[in-house]
Amino acid sequence: VSEGGALALVEAENTWERQRTERRHSDMLGFGTIVSMAKKHGIPAQEVRQCAEEFRAMDTNRDGRLSMQEFEVMVRQRCDLPPDEPLPATLGNTMQKAVDKRPDGTVGFEDFL
């Protein structure tokens, strides 16, 4: 295989893996999951769907979880807090509790919801 052919093969594999990861992430927050969480938490499905869209947008690495940094950016956007302004203590405590639920220090969609 030529050098150009090998490079094209590697690029194709990377693209395929990235698409597979995005599909898996998309499936995690698909229609069935949204309806199930809406019922479980007593929230209208439309609201859960909107939260899922917001969660997907903030999950920059598409792993299905928000790092503390991703979560803080989202909280700041929702609360209209500039990046250089300190978080109110109660908000910081609430964020920390959400992150502490998982051993890896991330926030999953249901924790976010």
Side-chain angles (χ1 to χ4, degrees):
V1 174
S2 71
E3 187 175 315
L7 182 58
L9 246 168
V10 168
E11 288 176 7
E13 286 177 9
N14 289 342
T15 299
W16 178 81
E17 184 61 34
R18 187 175 59 252
Q19 289 172 342
R20 190 174 127 211
T21 300
E22 288 174 5
R23 272 193 311 273
R24 186 174 57 242
H25 179 61
S26 173
D27 291 345
M28 285 190 296
L29 298 177
F31 179 76
T33 302
I34 288 172
V35 170
S36 173
M37 287 193 186
K39 288 179 181 177
K40 180 177 179 180
H41 297 286
I43 302 170
Q46 179 67 20
E47 188 175 327
V48 175
R49 186 185 64 77
Q50 288 170 342
C51 286
E53 289 173 7
E54 185 178 3
F55 185 87
R56 281 187 196 113
M58 295 308 297
D59 182 13
T60 56
N61 64 358
R62 301 288 183 237
D63 65 354
R65 297 179 307 273
L66 298 180
S67 67
M68 182 60 165
Q69 292 79 20
E70 291 169 327
F71 189 47
E72 183 175 337
V73 167
M74 178 181 285
V75 168
R76 287 183 176 281
Q77 286 177 351
R78 281 185 150 200
C79 297
D80 199 26
L81 294 171
D84 57 339
E85 187 175 308
L87 290 172
T90 55
L91 192 53
N93 291 340
T94 300
M95 285 175 52
Q96 192 61 50
K97 285 178 186 174
V99 170
D100 286 347
K101 288 183 179 181
R102 291 174 169 256
D104 62 356
T106 61
V107 177
F109 178 66
E110 191 165 9
D111 301 325
F112 166 73
L113 186 60

